Amino acid sequence: LDGVTFARFGDRCTTGARAGIVDAAVSGLPGGAGAADGWHPVTLRNIEKVDVDAGSLAYLDPPNPGWINQADCIDMDCDGPKHALIRDEDGTFIGGNGGAIP
């Protein structure tokens, strides 16, 4: 993502199906949405943040416990969401000199 402005991430939804949920500027599909072993890397540069809480920069759902099965990932969850790579090339997303969100 290059030259993107993220605005107003961190406000908690108060009503409806998303009540109590805080949105994040960068996130994956909820529950991995079937992407048990896949997660595309995200590279950011020239990012502007407007009223974005530090805790709402990124959110990665944990692996779905339903992925544990003998036919697929044996006795552990598939780990695509554990291998996400979010890379800030110039520090405009996470600050400092940039880096990665593990």
Side-chain angles (χ1 to χ4, degrees):
L1 301 172
D2 190 354
V4 174
T5 299
F6 293 103
R8 299 202 57 201
F9 285 93
D11 293 334
R12 185 172 299 276
C13 297
T14 57
T15 61
R18 297 185 50 81
I21 294 174
V22 176
D23 288 326
V26 175
S27 66
L29 297 172
D37 279 329
W39 193 285
H40 294 283
V42 176
T43 301
L44 302 114
R45 66 183 150 269
N46 301 314
I47 301 300
E48 182 179 355
K49 297 177 293 189
V50 177
D51 193 22
V52 176
D53 294 343
S56 293
L57 289 177
Y59 176 76
L60 305 174
D61 270 336
N64 182 336
W67 291 337
I68 300 172
N69 67 66
Q70 293 295 317
D72 193 9
C73 292
I74 318 237
D75 61 348
M76 60 184 180
D77 57 19
C78 295
D79 55 6
K82 294 179 187 176
H83 295 157
L85 175 61
I86 301 171
R87 191 173 88 191
D88 180 359
E89 291 190 333
D90 60 4
T92 56
F93 188 67
I94 61 174
N97 293 323
I101 298 174

